[in-house]
């Protein structure tokens, strides 16, 4: 996959993509990444890329000429290459969009800056605007990096273990199950027994149960979309909830017993008042 990033801060993109998995994806040829700086497409002495907003108001707006020239350099004028603008008012970036992007041979990210980009650029040269969440960043570079990272890890051969891209949170609409590694006891904390049982089917059931329970507890929005559950999932969840209820009953019973014992021992220890 070939990706062009139109950015006023190419060093930020280059630095962040030169390490780890995205760095390796470039070294192996799975990803070809280029940065294009709108500042290189200015013709004035100050290499001006922004200007005051028509109508007044706070902040600066990115001038259309250098950005469009940079986009045209990025696409080479090929109108079939999607051009994504990072913008807080864009459509939400999701795992599904990452999958879609990962299937493309080429892609251009345009990193918005200052108060925004001249609306005519959006109208004429942007395929879609995308946001990474409901908060405002100082610039689009970190958002583009987030989207690029989520996309690149889905490219064939980029992750060592092909299944790890598919077992994770959001694939299949559930959060991921908990993970443990050695030592089996860390600072008096053990691990779920099933994981050392060697019983692969039970491990798979436990993991699926944990994924379901976590999704229900932490992400009611995802949970709603998961309903109705399959018969198999219903069974796992019912067994989990029954066990949980039993554990809670046992715990509260133990607590009652302990406090009754404590009560009794207090009575025994109480100084006996002198009989009249
Ligand atoms: Cl894509 N850009 C900016 N500037 N802020 C954001 C964003 C994008 N997504 C969330 N906040």
């Amino acid at each position: 996959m070939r990706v062009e990033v139109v950015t006023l801060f190419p060093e930020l993109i280059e630095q962040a993509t030169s390490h780890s998995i995205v760095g390796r994806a470039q070294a192996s040829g799975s990803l070809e990444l280029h940065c294009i700086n709108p500042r290189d497409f200015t013709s004035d002495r100050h290499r001006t890329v922004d200007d005051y907003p028509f109508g007044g108001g706070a902040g600066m707006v990115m001038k259309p000429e250098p950005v469009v020239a940079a986009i045209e350099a990025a696409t080479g004028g090929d109108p079939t290459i999607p051009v994504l603008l990072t913008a807080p008012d864009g459509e939400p970036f999701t795992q599904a969009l990452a999958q879609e992007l990962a299937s493309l041979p080429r892609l251009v990210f345009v990193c918005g800056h200052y108060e925004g980009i001249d609306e005519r650029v959006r109208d004429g040269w942007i395929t879609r605007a995308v946001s990474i969440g409901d908060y405002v960043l100082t610039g689009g570079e970190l958002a583009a990096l987030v989207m690029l990272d989520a996309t690149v890890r889905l490219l064939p051969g980029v992750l060592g273990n092909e299944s790890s891209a598919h077992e994770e949170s959001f694939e299949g609409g559930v959060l991921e199950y908990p993970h443990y590694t050695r030592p089996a006891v860390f600072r008096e904390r053990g691990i779920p027994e099933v994981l050392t049982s060697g019983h692969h089917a039970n491990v798979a059931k436990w993991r699926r149960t944990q994924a379901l329970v976590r999704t229900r507890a932490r992400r009611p929005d995802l949970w709603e979309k998961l309903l109705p559950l399959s018969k198999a999932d219903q069974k796992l969840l019912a067994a989990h909830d029954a066990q949980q209820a039993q554990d809670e009953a046992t715990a509260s019973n133990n607590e009652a017993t302990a406090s009754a014992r404590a009560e009794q021992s207090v009575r025994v220890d109480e100084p006996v008042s002198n009989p009249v």
Side-chain angles (χ1 to χ4, degrees), residues 262-273:
E263 177 72 14
Q264 207 166 38
S265 68
V266 166
R267 264 192 249 112
V268 167
D269 294 343
E270 263 169 14
V272 179
S273 53

Side-chain angles (χ1 to χ4, degrees), residues 85-89 112-114 130-141 143-144 147:
L85 173 69
T86 63
D89 63 348
H113 248 274
Y114 306 111
V130 189
S131 162
I132 61 162
D134 291 339
Y135 38 81
V136 181
L137 304 172
T138 57
E141 281 75 14
M147 297 186 226

Side-chain angles (χ1 to χ4, degrees), residues 238-252:
H240 171 273
D241 291 347
Q243 184 64 54
Q244 184 96 328
Q246 199 183 3
D247 292 350
E248 273 161 27
T250 305
S252 102

Side-chain angles (χ1 to χ4, degrees), residues 113-231:
H113 248 274
Y114 306 111
E115 289 310 294
I117 194 162
D118 189 292
E119 193 66 17
R120 293 166 293 184
V121 176
R122 284 177 82 145
D123 294 342
W125 287 268
I126 298 298
T127 313
R128 60 211 285 193
V130 189
S131 162
I132 61 162
D134 291 339
Y135 38 81
V136 181
L137 304 172
T138 57
E141 281 75 14
L142 290 172
L145 286 167
V146 165
M147 297 186 226
L148 183 65
D149 189 287
T151 301
V152 169
R153 65 182 287 289
L154 299 175
L155 296 176
V158 166
L159 293 187
N161 175 3
E162 281 308 300
S163 76
S164 52
H166 294 288
E167 268 183 31
E168 291 175 60
S169 295
F170 304 114
E171 292 275 351
V174 290
L175 301 184
E176 217 182 349
Y177 54 77
H179 297 77
Y180 299 90
T181 188
R182 290 183 290 179
V185 178
F186 172 68
R187 309 252 176 133
E188 297 177 3
R189 292 162 194 264
I191 64 170
E193 249 175 61
V194 65
L195 298 180
T196 50
S197 68
H199 195 306
H200 298 299
N202 284 352
V203 169
K205 279 188 192 176
W206 179 85
R207 286 178 170 168
R208 179 66 185 172
T209 304
Q210 290 298 310
L212 291 169
V213 166
R214 289 189 155 199
T215 306
R216 183 177 60 181
R218 298 176 185 182
R219 291 294 302 272
D221 57 325
L222 295 180
W223 183 249
E224 288 302 317
K225 292 189 211 159
L226 223 54
L227 303 177
L229 294 182
S230 69
K231 275 271 139 59

